[in-house]
């Protein structure tokens, strides 16, 4: 057997049935990624004798005598990048980078005809981050990156520091390391939605060759906790055990088998015999709140922090401003309807996983795909009674998150195995497990009623919200509270009322997801106000513009005003102005003859950070060579914070980003950071970086003045030196002089996440609908974003494009379906349709001109917010085209066709009411 990989011959025989992906990874070629193991995502693409193949489907033995090229071998032997790698760098055609190797290998093999038809050429590759436009720009050779001078970084299109590693396959994600003596874990999961484990027989499993241990609820701590990670753990209910003797959804882990190989661990799982007492289950949140429904968690409401356990209500919010009935009585038109949103999977291409070991000092080391390394360390210490200095958590480069990795779903069970066996242990979710064993976006049912006078003045707004949090309450109360916050505060109405419930069911748990509940409720509110405007004969956009709050106005919600939340800059009027201009421009794809055409818009407001505090610490230091070290805790998963932090620091230190090295996401080498979630990577962690860099700049100038006996006011930082009246003091010499007198050239920065500001977004679509088939074609997509001072326009635009693309998937076809037993039916990409290259239009992204009084250097967040107005804008355009109001997501072709068919809508052209 001879398999040549990147010019190196390997003569090891593949294992029976082994695929080429695992074969090359086991030999250190970690650029080949695992995203699906089913040939659906393309992350594992390699060349075999020059032809691209999905290596997860390609039997390794077929590569005998063939030349295999992975992304590591794409460059020339002298290190010169392949032209495709250079193009992806110049265009920054990636975000998290997990799919990038697959795209590079696919692109490098395309001929001229294939390059002319990218939708077909990229049918076998998926990207969850970019929205595909940056990838298209890369393929087309469009260059976006800039190279500004020292101190000129902020506001420029600077590349991600890990870009070269992303395009060469040398960026190290969670499992891209070789751990000697590694054992593998597999999980036995429940086949029942609700059952009590009465007995577990592990004897046969333990007899499987290579099996080292089988862990059950008898081995797990008795302590309850929440898998959700927040700075304040009391925000979430304590309803979860590492392993429980009661299972509450199909797919819940029942036992863990640890073995020498994944195959042995899987066989061990098959041989475990479990006796269950099957219990009644409830799958619908409305049914779950009714008297006599099966109780999901019969726990003490105080100690578990569950609002009403016997009613399956984990959290609720009720409030009223004014008197809504009085407001409806004063209205000339009232609209009332119920809207529903579905479960959506995060579908990050890197699945959940962790590898852990004990080091020579007997410290627990955990390497995990997590957005919250510090909070995960804290939770592990609490679970296993370990001091913080005995646990280290490291997040390597994370292959996508979108809120799904603001959880502790794997680290707890891996740590249990390591502490028991004192051997390194790895657990990596399969793609199927990601669907039924991780978390989803919360499904919502939103009853909305809105009233307004004939002049377009909103008189009353009432919401009744039911959120299905699934079998466990991780994030349930917080998502519910957030969903009815900015969605009601953005509109000025004298009478508002909210009743909201987060409800347990015996289904796969929901969790944090981009937008954190706002997207679901904004779908209802924005659709309802659009319909109300039409009933009044008003332009929906102008109706909304009349009723939005303005700068200086209070943000009032029935749930209570958050005192630390402010309108520190206001760009919503500019966002709406951008949409107005788009409506008048004769641009976009023409509609096919006979199709129905319409347009629609929606807006959204979001807080730039969570309530209750979000802590970030940073440390900036001068290095002996005159460069700088920046230590930040926030994780990088395509959100681009690493790039922005270097830009902020470079601006304050009058240097270039290349001279700033960043250390991050390692609890041993950086200081505390709550985590990369709630849109805080720039506005919270970035502010800590700003303060650390400013403090270091002051320290360097103060030292120079004292050291040289010159006026402090005459000293100025420049690239590689401090300028002073007598000339220049090189930073290398400054470092040496400071060290000689015991001065440490380092400074700290801290921000607690409060006060907070708000960001705004508006989305507009023009689309066409084929009444004969229900097919919808997007003719033009425009997004306006108020991100304050945009730190990196190229990168921020990518966040918007990716958010719009992900939201379009949730709007049009993504749906985690659950059958009558509570089992997930869509546990593979080919059964759960993600947006592909051909599905996503090129969205025109426009930024407003604002500068925030709170955010670092005037910046605001823009990672979550683009998602929120997309579904209602699309639904409003669909209403404009068809005359039908769709109140349930997703807006699949069959659902649209059926509604048109029942309504007798034909292909006769309609006149847009908002044209």
């Amino acid at each position: 057997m001879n398999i040549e990989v990147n010019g190196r011959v390997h003569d090891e025989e593949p294992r029976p049935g082994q695929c080429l992906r695992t074969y090359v990874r086991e030999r250190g070629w970690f650029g080949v990624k695992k995203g699906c193991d089913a040939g659906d995502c393309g992350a594992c693409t390699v060349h075999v004798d020059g032809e691209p193949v999905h290596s997860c489907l390609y039997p390794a033995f077929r590569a005998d005598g063939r030349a295999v090229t992975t992304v590591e071998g794409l460059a020339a032997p002298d290190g010169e990048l392949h032209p495709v790698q250079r193009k992806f760098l110049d265009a920054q055609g990636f975000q998290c980078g997990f799919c990038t190797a697959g795209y590079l290998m696919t692109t490098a093999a395309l001929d001229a005809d294939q390059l002319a038809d990218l939708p077909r050429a990229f049918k076998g590759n998926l990207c969850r981050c970019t929205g595909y436009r940056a990838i298209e720009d890369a393929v087309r050779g469009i260059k976006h990156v800039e190279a500004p001078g020292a101190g000129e970084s902020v506001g420029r299109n600077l590349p991600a520091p890990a870009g070269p590693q992303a395009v060469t396959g040398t960026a190290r994600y969670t499992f891209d390391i070789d751990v000697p003596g590694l054992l593998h874990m597999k999980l036995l999961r429940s086949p029942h939605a609700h059952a009590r484990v009465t007995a577990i027989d592990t004897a046969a499993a333990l007899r499987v060759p290579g099996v080292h241990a089988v862990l059950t609820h008898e081995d797990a701590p008795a302590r309850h906790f929440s898998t959700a990670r927040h700075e304040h753990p009391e925000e979430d209910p304590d309803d979860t055990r590492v392993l429980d003797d009661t299972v509450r959804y199909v797919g819940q882990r029942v036992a863990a088998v640890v073995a020498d190989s994944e195959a042995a661990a899987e066989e061990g799982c098959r041989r475990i015999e479990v006796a269950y007492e099957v219990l009644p289950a409830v799958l619908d949140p409305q049914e779950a709140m009714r008297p006599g429904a099966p109780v999901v968690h019969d726990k003490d409401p105080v100690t578990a922090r569950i609002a009403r356990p016997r009613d399956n209500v984990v959290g609720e919010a009720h409030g009223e401003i004014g008197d809504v009935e009085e407001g409806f009585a004063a209205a000339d038109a009232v609209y009332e309807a119920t809207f529903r949103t579905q479960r959506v999977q995060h579908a990050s291409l890197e699945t959940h996983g962790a590898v852990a070991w004990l080091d020579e000092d007997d410290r627990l080391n955990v390497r995990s795909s997590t957005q919250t390394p510090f909070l995960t360390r804290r939770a592990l210490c609490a679970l296993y009674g370990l001091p913080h200095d005995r646990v280290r958590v490291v997040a390597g480069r994370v292959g996508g998150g979108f809120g799904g990795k603001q959880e502790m779903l794997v680290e707890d069970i891996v740590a249990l195995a390591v502490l028991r066996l004192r051997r390194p242990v790895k657990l990596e979710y399969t793609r199927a497990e990601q669907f039924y064993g991780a978390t989803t976006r919360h499904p919502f049912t939103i009853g909305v009623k809105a009233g307004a006078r004939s002049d377009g003045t909103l008189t009353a707004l009432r919401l009744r919200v039911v959120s299905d949090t699934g079998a466990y309450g991780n994030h349930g109360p917080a998502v519910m509270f957030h969903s009815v916050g900015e969605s009601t505060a953005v509109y000025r109405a004298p009478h508002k009322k909210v009743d909201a419930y987060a409800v347990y069911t015996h289904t796969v748990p929901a969790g944090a997801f981009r937008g954190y509940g706002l997207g679901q409720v904004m779908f209802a509110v924005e659709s309802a106000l659009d319909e109300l405007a039409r009933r009044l004969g008003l332009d929906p956009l102008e109706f909304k513009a009349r009723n939005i709050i303005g700068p200086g106005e209070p943000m009032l919600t029935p749930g209570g005003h958050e005192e630390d939340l402010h309108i520190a800059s206001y760009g919503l009027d500019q966002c709406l102005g951008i949409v107005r201009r788009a409506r008048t421009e004769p641009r976009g794809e023409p509609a096919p003859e006979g199709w129905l055409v319409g347009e629609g818009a929606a807006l959204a407001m979001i807080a730039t950070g969570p309530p209750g505090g979000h802590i970030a610490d940073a440390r900036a230091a001068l290095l002996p060579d005159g460069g700088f070290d920046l230590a930040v805790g926030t994780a990088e998963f395509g959100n681009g914070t690493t790039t922005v932090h270097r830009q902020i620091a470079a601006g304050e230190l009058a240097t270039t980003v290349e001279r700033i090295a960043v250390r991050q996401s390692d609890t041993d080498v950086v200081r505390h950071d709550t985590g990369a979630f709630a849109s805080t990577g720039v506005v919270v962690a970035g502010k800590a970086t700003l303060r650390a860099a400013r403090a270091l700049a002051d320290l360097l100038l103060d030292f120079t003045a004292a050291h040289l006996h010159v006026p402090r006011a005459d000293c100025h930082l420049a690239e590689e030196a401090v300028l002073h009246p007598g000339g220049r003091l090189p930073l290398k010499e400054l470092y040496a002089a400071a060290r000689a007198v015991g001065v440490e050239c380092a400074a700290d920065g801290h921000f607690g996440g409060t006060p907070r500001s708000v960001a705004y977004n508006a989305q507009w679509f023009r689309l066409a609908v084929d009444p004969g088939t229900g097919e919808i074609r997007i003719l033009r997509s425009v997004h306006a974003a108020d991100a304050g001072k945009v730190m990196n326009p190229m990168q921020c635009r990518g966040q918007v494009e990716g958010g719009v693309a992900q939201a379009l998937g949730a709007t049009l076809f993504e749906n985690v379906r659950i059958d009558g037993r509570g089992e997930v039916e869509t546990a593979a990409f080919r059964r759960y349709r993600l947006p592909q290259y051909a599905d996503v239009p090129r969205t025109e992204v426009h930024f407003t001109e604002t500068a925030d009084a709170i955010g670092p250097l005037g910046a605001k967040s823009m990672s979550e917010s683009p998602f929120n107005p997309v579904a209602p804008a699309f639904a409003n355009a669909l209403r404009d085209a068809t005359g039908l109001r769709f109140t349930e997501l997703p807006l699949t072709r069959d659902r649209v066709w059926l509604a048109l068919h029942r309504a007798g809508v034909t292909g006769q052209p309609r006149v847009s009411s908002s044209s």
Side-chain angles (χ1 to χ4, degrees):
M1 176 67 65
N2 287 292
I3 299 176
E4 180 185 317
V5 184
N6 300 327
R8 187 182 306 171
V9 175
H10 299 275
D11 58 6
E12 300 91 343
E13 291 278 344
R15 296 187 299 275
Q18 186 175 25
C19 69
L20 184 58
R21 180 187 67 80
T22 59
Y23 184 88
V24 297
R25 281 187 60 85
E26 287 173 1
R27 278 139 195 89
W29 305 109
F30 293 126
V32 183
K33 302 303 182 194
K34 171 187 174 181
C36 66
D37 268 343
D40 295 332
C41 75
C44 67
T45 303
V46 302
H47 294 174
V48 178
D49 287 343
E51 292 294 321
V53 301
H54 288 180
S55 61
C56 68
L57 298 181
Y58 193 95
F61 78 86
R62 286 184 55 191
D64 184 21
R66 300 177 184 268
V68 177
T69 305
T70 73
V71 68
E72 291 98 331
L74 201 58
D78 62 359
E80 179 68 23
L81 292 181
H82 186 280
V84 169
Q85 292 172 311
R86 173 53 58 193
K87 287 180 179 181
F88 269 73
L89 265 185
D90 288 344
Q92 293 289 281
F94 49 83
Q95 284 183 26
C96 83
F98 199 79
C99 71
T100 302
Y103 270 99
L104 287 165
M105 301 307 293
T106 298
T107 303
L110 298 180
D111 59 27
D113 290 339
Q114 292 169 320
L115 285 169
D117 188 4
L118 290 182
R120 180 176 295 276
F122 286 147
K123 282 183 67 176
N125 293 80
L126 291 174
C127 176
R128 192 56 158 169
C129 295
T130 66
Y132 299 105
R133 296 314 104 194
I135 293 172
E136 179 183 3
D137 288 350
V139 175
R140 301 300 184 208
I142 298 173
K143 183 174 182 177
H144 292 304
V145 299
E146 300 178 79
E152 300 174 352
S153 299
V154 171
R156 308 297 288 271
N157 295 332
L158 298 193
Q165 291 75 39
V167 301
T168 57
T170 55
R172 291 293 175 250
Y173 295 81
T174 306
F175 297 117
D176 295 342
I177 57 172
D178 184 16
V179 181
L182 184 66
L183 301 178
H184 299 266
M185 176 184 287
K186 286 294 180 179
L187 300 173
L188 177 69
R189 296 182 178 273
S190 169
H192 305 293
H194 191 199
R196 186 173 295 110
V197 177
T198 58
I200 299 182
D201 187 345
T202 64
L206 288 169
R207 287 196 293 269
V208 172
V211 169
H212 289 257
V214 179
L215 304 174
T216 71
H217 63 272
E218 295 179 350
D219 303 292
R223 179 186 176 120
H224 286 85
F225 64 98
S226 173
T227 63
R229 302 269 57 82
H230 284 113
E231 181 62 40
H232 306 290
E234 62 274 10
E235 294 179 13
D236 307 298
D238 285 342
D239 57 9
T240 305
R241 284 187 63 194
V242 175
L243 291 166
D244 206 330
D245 58 353
T246 298
V247 290
R248 297 177 174 87
Y249 67 97
V250 177
Q252 180 169 337
R253 60 196 190 194
V254 175
V257 177
V258 185
D260 289 330
S261 67
E262 289 188 359
E266 288 172 349
E267 181 60 26
C269 286
R270 284 189 285 269
R271 297 198 187 185
I272 299 173
E273 297 180 8
V274 184
Y276 295 98
E277 176 191 353
V278 179
L279 302 172
V282 59
L283 307 180
D284 179 84
Q286 305 284 358
E287 295 288 334
M289 288 193 290
R290 291 178 180 163
V295 176
V296 181
H297 288 279
D298 191 6
K299 294 180 172 62
D300 179 81
V302 176
T303 58
R305 296 189 297 279
I306 300 172
R308 289 187 283 128
R310 299 294 301 176
D311 298 319
N312 291 319
V313 176
V314 62
E316 57 188 322
H318 307 280
E320 186 170 12
I321 297 170
D323 184 329
V324 291
E325 295 306 323
E326 178 183 322
F328 292 130
D332 294 309
V334 174
Y335 174 73
E336 184 174 12
T338 299
F339 293 79
R340 292 179 175 85
T341 66
Q342 79 283 27
R343 288 177 177 84
V344 176
Q345 231 293 316
H346 304 81
S348 52
L349 287 194
E350 182 191 39
T351 61
H352 281 82
V355 57
W357 63 91
L358 297 173
D359 63 19
E360 60 276 8
D361 296 321
D362 206 36
R363 299 173 71 241
L364 177 65
N365 288 255
V366 181
R367 183 178 173 89
S368 170
S369 184
T370 178
Q371 297 173 225
T372 58
F374 285 89
L375 301 189
T376 298
R377 179 183 67 172
R378 185 170 68 188
L380 292 174
C381 290
L383 264 176
Y384 297 112
L386 300 171
H388 281 195
D389 61 0
R390 296 299 301 275
V391 179
R392 177 188 185 186
V393 176
V394 179
R397 189 167 179 88
V398 177
F402 317 112
K405 293 172 181 175
Q406 192 193 338
E407 306 273 356
M408 186 174 69
L409 298 180
V410 293
E411 298 89 345
D412 57 332
I413 188 74
V414 172
L416 176 64
V418 171
L419 293 172
R420 174 66 59 89
L421 297 172
R422 309 192 69 75
R423 290 275 303 274
V425 175
K426 167 189 173 181
L427 171 60
E428 182 178 13
Y429 274 13
T430 64
R431 180 54 57 186
E433 285 180 299
Q434 199 72 11
F435 279 98
Y436 55 67
T439 61
T440 73
R441 188 186 191 211
H442 287 78
F444 268 64
T445 301
I446 309 108
V448 58
K449 185 175 182 180
R453 291 197 291 267
S454 58
D455 65 355
T457 302
L458 196 61
T459 61
L461 179 63
R462 185 180 71 195
L463 295 177
R464 185 184 186 274
V465 172
V466 176
S467 167
D468 184 350
T469 195
Y472 291 89
N474 45 305
H475 296 283
V479 165
M480 178 269 301
F481 279 115
H482 190 238
S483 73
V484 296
E486 295 97 283
S487 59
T488 58
V490 71
Y491 285 107
R492 185 191 312 110
H495 308 285
K496 299 178 183 178
K497 185 177 181 180
V498 162
D499 293 289
Y501 308 86
V503 182
Y504 285 123
T505 59
H506 290 106
T507 60
V508 59
F513 190 102
R514 202 173 200 165
Y516 213 65
L518 272 182
Q520 293 95 311
V521 175
M522 290 307 299
F523 168 60
V525 170
E526 288 294 292
S527 296
L529 294 187
D530 185 277
E531 195 65 34
L532 181 59
R534 294 175 185 275
R535 294 192 175 189
L536 289 166
L538 301 174
D539 179 286
L541 186 65
E542 299 311 321
F543 171 70
K544 292 175 182 179
R546 180 185 180 92
N547 290 286
I548 56 174
I549 59 172
E553 293 189 54
M555 289 175 284
L556 300 178
T557 73
H561 177 61
E562 296 173 1
E563 295 297 329
D564 73 333
L565 189 60
H566 307 280
I567 300 177
S569 63
Y570 188 80
L572 185 52
D573 53 349
Q574 294 182 52
C575 288
L576 297 184
I578 291 167
V579 169
R580 287 190 189 97
R581 290 193 296 275
R583 297 198 304 178
T584 64
E585 295 168 345
R587 296 171 57 186
E589 180 185 346
E593 185 177 352
W595 288 38
L596 309 174
V597 179
E599 62 181 51
L603 59 88
M605 177 175 76
I606 190 170
T608 59
H614 191 104
I615 296 171
D617 291 294
R619 184 172 179 84
L622 178 65
L623 297 174
D625 65 356
F628 296 93
D629 175 79
L630 179 63
V632 294
T634 191
E636 175 64 60
F637 55 100
N639 48 355
T641 53
T642 310
T643 313
V644 170
H645 286 212
R646 290 213 306 176
Q647 288 180 263
I648 292 172
E652 296 301 312
L653 295 168
T655 189
T656 60
V657 292
E658 291 79 13
R659 296 186 61 77
I660 297 180
V662 180
R663 293 179 295 147
Q664 61 191 133
S665 308
D666 183 337
T667 60
D668 258 20
V669 301
V670 298
R671 300 191 180 192
H672 183 82
D673 188 281
T674 298
F677 63 89
S679 303
T680 56
V682 170
V683 297
V684 177
K687 193 150 187 172
T689 289
L690 176 67
R691 290 176 172 176
R694 281 185 176 171
L696 177 60
D698 286 339
L699 186 155
L700 298 179
L701 295 175
D702 288 342
F703 179 83
T704 299
H707 178 63
L708 299 177
H709 307 290
V710 297
R712 166 67 162 75
D714 293 335
C715 297
H716 306 281
L717 274 173
E719 186 176 10
E720 301 187 52
V722 176
L723 305 182
H724 57 85
R728 62 195 305 272
L729 176 63
L731 293 179
K732 292 180 182 179
E733 296 180 16
L734 190 159
Y735 178 89
R739 184 175 182 181
V741 295
V743 174
E744 183 182 13
C745 293
D748 298 320
H750 171 86
F751 185 50
T754 183
R756 301 175 295 144
S757 186
V758 289
Y760 301 98
N761 296 76
Q763 173 70 41
W764 175 82
F765 288 109
R766 179 180 290 127
L767 52 78
V769 185
D770 182 355
T773 65
E775 180 184 348
I776 304 173
R777 187 173 299 176
I778 298 172
L779 306 178
R780 193 176 176 204
S781 171
V782 175
H783 192 98
D786 172 24
K789 171 65 177 177
V790 180
M791 299 283 100
N792 187 316
M794 168 186 63
Q795 186 172 273
C796 194
R797 185 179 67 248
Q799 286 289 298
V800 173
E801 290 170 343
V804 171
Q806 191 174 45
L808 278 172
T811 300
L812 289 171
F813 32 73
E814 291 187 48
N815 188 8
V816 178
R817 296 193 303 272
I818 292 179
D819 66 15
R821 296 179 49 255
E823 184 173 0
V824 173
E825 297 180 310
T826 49
F829 280 156
R830 62 187 57 192
R831 294 196 294 272
Y832 178 87
R833 185 182 169 192
L834 286 176
Q836 294 180 300
Y837 180 96
D839 296 315
V840 180
R842 180 176 282 276
T843 293
E844 303 165 33
V845 179
H846 302 270
F847 295 113
T848 64
E849 295 183 4
T850 61
D852 200 68
I854 294 175
L857 303 177
K860 295 197 282 193
S861 66
M862 200 45 57
S863 54
E864 292 184 88
S865 55
F867 191 103
N868 297 329
V870 171
F874 196 97
N876 290 340
L878 186 58
R879 163 65 169 87
D880 194 45
T882 65
L884 304 179
R885 173 58 62 187
F886 290 84
T887 59
E888 185 172 354
L889 297 178
L891 300 171
T892 55
R893 178 191 288 195
D894 56 344
R895 181 172 286 169
V896 171
W897 178 86
L898 185 61
L900 292 171
H901 179 72
R902 287 174 174 171
V905 177
T906 67
Q908 299 301 315
R910 295 172 50 82
V911 177
S912 170
S913 64
S914 54
S915 295

